[in-house]
Amino acid sequence: MKHISRREFLTSIGVAGTSMFLPKDSQAWKSRAPENPFACLVDVTRCIGCRKCELACNEANNLPEPEKDFEDKTVFEEKRRPSDKAFTVVNRFFSNKKQDKEGNLLPTYVKIQCMHCQDPACASACITGALSKQPNGAVYYDVKKCIGCRYCMVACPFEIPAYEYFNPITPRVRKCTFCFERISKKGGKPACASVCPTEAITFGRRKDLLQIAKNRIKQDPGRYIDHIYGEKEVGGTCWLYISDQPMEELGFPSVPKRPIPKLTETIQSTLFTYLWSPIVLFGVLSGIMAINKHKEEGNEK
Amino acid sequence: MKKIIFLLTMLCLVVSNSYSSPDATTKIRKDYHPRPSTWVPKDHIKALKLAQKKYEFVKDVFKEDIILRQMRFRHLGIGIKDIKSTYMVLQSPFVNTYEDIYGPVRFMHGAHAKTLNENCVICHHYSPKDSPNKILPCRACHQDAFNPEHAGRIGLKAAYHQRCIGCHKQRQKGPIGCTGCHLKNVPDHKKLVKLPKDPTPTQVTQECLRCHKNAGQEMLTSAHWLWRGPSPYTVNHLKCTKHGKGTDVLNND
């Protein structure tokens, strides 16, 4: 039998490994995004910071009463994140670019909640399938399947899911539900969108909303910057934003344009096609064992 | 002299007795200027009726430049004289889309038209396509929100709020908060308040503070608590400085 050197052996494994990573049509990652789901378009320039969306969300989801009343504007003094007690929060931002005639800074209010990604990283990371992308667009959380591993919280690029740490027996992951029950009914709208007094939140089908957003930007180019946040971010989200400032300056993370699960799922699936990686692993191990045994026998002689 | 003093005290007693009610626990307040039972606010009832009037949805609108439109209307002589109702109640099912926290806005149509230099097109920006000279109310075009057939056209609630708040902000005139225009729909406190049968004043205050948590602290910084000056609007005590809460009405010094 021809003797294989260590270097040759490792090179062959490397070649075999990389060839597995190369895209093949049969194994290429496919988006499971619904084609035209429900979506919401947030027009940041329309928001007046009345916090009625927070109030409606609180009522619709039976959340506990907040420490500060919903009419209390002092909450804007610090930046807030969605939590297990509030699925959506409005933050206030000031920018030097927005001033009135006397030079007073004008506020920009931004509502944040789960973005309901088209290819959600949280659902991909979820090992029990408790989080799933529904055909109507909602990233749905099934508490019965959840084991509380909190991988979703690590995976989410927008850092949205929150956890009921105070509840030791039956904790849940909490995040915006897209008012799943409400929008499942015919003509149903999310609570925040239907309460909003200025229609800063427009509810509809994603393709229609993208068209509306493009029209608004086209008709009033001085008012908006030409970017729909969520159109391509992380492969597309169901919550879209148009604004007069870059969204990165309004507390949003800069995220890649590709779907987050694309890379992770490709690595994962290629690692286990035809069970090649375990075979290689055990092959290497048995090789090492054989070499060691050979050495030992040589030493004994 | 003694007789006179005695008579006076007797008179005082009689008078005070006649004012005090037989049952000490029930308070009777007399309305010095009662509203006549037949009186109704006629303009308000008219406005409420007008708010009920339904308009057929205008599908297509005649779009034109806002300044050209203003000039056209000036030439046509359309202006403040064509206003049929100067007072309106902005009440519509299209507005109450979710909650019932606030009452309808009472809108001074005439006063707004006057302050906007009789320029109707600031609010009435479009007309129906087939009759470009017609001025219709907001709710003829703006009705349901998120209508997929008329994408991009905002609902009535948003139309009102965007126009009102936008204009008030731009001109730095008029309210931009909720309660500046709306009256709050206060929930029925008979159902909310839970008190024992004969509550003490402290119990009542504590019951109020159960929900209105900040009200107690706010009260301590207000003139109601700190006032030490005269009471110019209190009948018979116009120049009296002792009746401020900061002095002797409450022992809070």
Side-chain angles (χ1 to χ4, degrees):
Chain A
M1 191 185 148
K2 194 197 164 192
H3 183 74
I4 303 170
S5 76
R6 202 174 98 99
R7 183 168 291 174
E8 274 173 357
F9 180 68
L10 287 176
T11 321
S12 61
I13 287 177
V15 170
T18 38
S19 68
M20 288 295 181
F21 281 110
L22 289 176
K24 287 176 199 164
D25 282 349
S26 58
Q27 287 172 16
W29 181 82
K30 264 186 198 157
S31 168
R32 287 186 292 274
E35 199 190 325
N36 195 12
F38 282 122
C40 280
L41 170 69
V42 181
D43 190 333
V44 170
T45 62
R46 285 184 181 180
C47 182
I48 52 168
C50 68
R51 299 185 65 210
K52 287 288 176 288
C53 48
E54 291 184 38
L55 170 83
C57 180
N58 182 287
E59 280 178 9
N61 293 299
N62 298 321
L63 297 175
E65 235 177 76
E67 275 178 38
K68 280 182 180 172
D69 193 76
F70 286 111
E71 281 170 34
D72 194 341
K73 298 287 189 286
T74 57
V75 292
F76 290 132
E77 278 159 21
E78 52 186 29
K79 298 281 171 286
R80 298 177 295 152
R81 298 289 313 163
S83 69
D84 53 307
K85 293 180 185 75
F87 297 167
T88 181
V89 287
V90 182
N91 280 321
R92 184 178 62 188
F93 293 87
F94 287 106
S95 162
N96 289 331
K97 288 167 202 161
K98 265 179 96 175
Q99 294 179 354
D100 65 2
K101 284 167 200 163
E102 281 106 53
N104 299 320
L105 296 181
L106 294 175
T108 310
Y109 298 100
V110 188
K111 170 192 191 297
I112 40 173
Q113 74 296 310
C114 172
M115 298 287 283
H116 296 276
C117 308
Q118 284 284 67
D119 285 298
C122 57
S124 169
C126 184
I127 51 175
T128 59
L131 282 157
S132 56
K133 181 76 176 173
Q134 297 294 319
N136 65 5
V139 177
Y140 181 74
Y141 171 70
D142 186 356
V143 69
K144 283 175 200 159
K145 289 183 185 166
C146 181
I147 55 167
C149 68
R150 284 162 279 152
Y151 283 0
C152 49
M153 296 171 68
V154 183
C156 177
F158 302 101
E159 299 172 18
I160 294 295
Y163 196 64
E164 290 180 331
Y165 286 106
F166 64 90
N167 184 349
I169 312 292
T170 54
R172 290 171 292 179
V173 169
R174 306 310 306 271
K175 67 164 199 70
C176 163
T177 61
F178 211 156
C179 284
F180 182 75
E181 269 84 35
R182 292 169 67 95
I183 63 168
S184 300
K185 287 176 203 152
K186 205 192 168 205
K189 295 157 197 163
C192 53
S194 55
V195 80
C196 180
T198 57
E199 229 167 275
I201 311 163
T202 312
F203 175 70
R205 293 281 172 185
R206 191 166 183 270
K207 279 180 185 167
D208 301 344
L209 291 182
L210 283 171
Q211 197 53 49
I212 290 175
K214 278 171 192 161
N215 282 348
R216 273 190 214 164
I217 294 170
K218 198 179 162 190
Q219 278 166 13
D220 205 343
R223 183 169 174 160
Y224 302 100
I225 54 163
D226 187 12
H227 181 211
I228 306 171
Y229 189 94
E231 186 187 13
K232 296 202 174 83
E233 273 73 11
V234 294
T237 58
C238 279
W239 276 71
L240 309 160
Y241 284 76
I242 49 173
S243 157
D244 48 1
Q245 290 162 61
M247 288 311 285
E248 282 74 19
E249 286 173 23
L250 300 175
F252 276 68
S254 349
V255 286
K257 294 269 159 46
R258 57 170 170 75
I260 303 284
K262 191 175 178 180
L263 180 66
T264 54
E265 282 181 13
T266 312
I267 292 172
Q268 231 172 13
S269 62
T270 42
L271 270 177
F272 292 99
T273 27
Y274 310 122
L275 288 175
W276 72 264
S277 53
I279 291 168
V280 166
L281 177 71
F282 289 115
V284 170
L285 287 175
S286 54
I288 292 167
M289 269 175 74
I291 290 163
N292 283 346
K293 202 178 177 187
H294 195 74
K295 271 185 188 170
E296 275 172 24
E297 277 172 5
N299 288 344
E300 275 170 22
K301 274 175 188 175
Chain B
M1 190 65 193
K2 270 185 180 176
K3 269 186 180 175
I4 296 168
I5 291 168
F6 178 73
L7 270 172
L8 271 173
T9 43
M10 284 306 287
L11 194 76
C12 283
L13 275 172
V14 168
V15 169
S16 63
N17 270 338
S18 68
Y19 273 103
S20 68
S21 56
D23 187 2
T25 52
T26 52
K27 285 179 185 171
I28 294 167
R29 291 203 178 91
K30 196 183 167 191
D31 196 347
Y32 288 99
H33 303 285
R35 181 188 290 179
S37 58
T38 52
W39 185 81
V40 280
K42 275 179 191 162
D43 56 345
H44 190 64
I45 284 162
K46 193 184 148 200
L48 283 174
K49 258 186 200 167
L50 189 74
Q52 299 288 320
K53 192 180 168 187
K54 274 181 187 155
Y55 280 86
E56 206 184 325
F57 184 65
V58 177
K59 280 177 187 160
D60 296 307
V61 291
F62 177 75
K63 292 189 179 180
E64 61 186 322
D65 185 80
I66 206 84
I67 294 170
L68 292 180
R69 184 174 163 85
Q70 183 190 347
M71 285 162 71
R72 199 161 63 82
F73 280 178
R74 288 261 156 89
H75 279 294
L76 287 166
I78 298 173
I80 201 164
K81 63 174 172 41
D82 299 298
I83 289 177
K84 284 164 197 153
S85 44
T86 55
Y87 168 69
M88 289 185 194
V89 178
L90 306 184
Q91 193 176 37
S92 166
F94 302 120
V95 179
N96 286 346
T97 48
Y98 180 83
E99 85 295 21
D100 218 10
I101 313 170
Y102 299 106
V105 171
R106 300 163 174 204
F107 179 63
M108 302 298 162
H109 189 197
H112 276 85
K114 191 75 194 160
T115 46
L116 295 173
N117 298 328
E118 308 187 19
N119 187 359
C120 311
V121 302
I122 289 176
C123 299
H124 299 275
H125 55 151
Y126 295 138
S127 289
K129 200 165 197 177
D130 41 0
S131 49
N133 291 343
K134 211 172 182 179
I135 292 190
L136 287 174
C138 309
R139 63 182 187 280
C141 301
H142 298 279
Q143 296 194 350
D144 271 318
F146 320 135
N147 187 347
E149 283 166 27
H150 296 271
R153 197 186 291 184
I154 53 177
L156 183 62
K157 177 156 90 167
Y160 281 149
H161 281 111
Q162 280 190 23
R163 183 61 67 188
C164 294
I165 298 171
C167 209
H168 289 178
K169 265 188 189 166
Q170 191 195 338
R171 284 156 207 270
Q172 296 189 332
K173 212 175 172 186
I176 49 171
C178 306
T179 46
C181 303
H182 296 273
L183 278 177
K184 230 178 169 185
N185 276 345
V186 182
D188 187 5
H189 276 61
K190 278 177 194 162
K191 287 171 191 165
L192 297 173
V193 175
K194 287 180 185 102
L195 277 172
K197 205 173 184 188
D198 285 318
T200 62
T202 329
Q203 277 177 325
V204 177
T205 312
Q206 275 176 345
E207 177 63 12
C208 294
L209 287 174
R210 187 168 59 91
C211 298
H212 303 271
K213 278 169 191 144
N214 298 330
Q217 288 303 317
E218 282 165 10
M219 166 74 187
L220 298 184
T221 59
S222 72
H224 296 294
W225 188 258
L226 302 170
W227 187 252
R228 286 172 189 275
S231 335
Y233 303 111
T234 312
V235 182
N236 297 339
H237 299 284
L238 299 176
K239 287 174 187 170
C240 185
T241 56
K242 278 186 177 177
H243 291 300
K245 297 234 171 185
T247 49
D248 69 343
V249 170
L250 289 174
N251 51 351
N252 60 344
D253 46 353

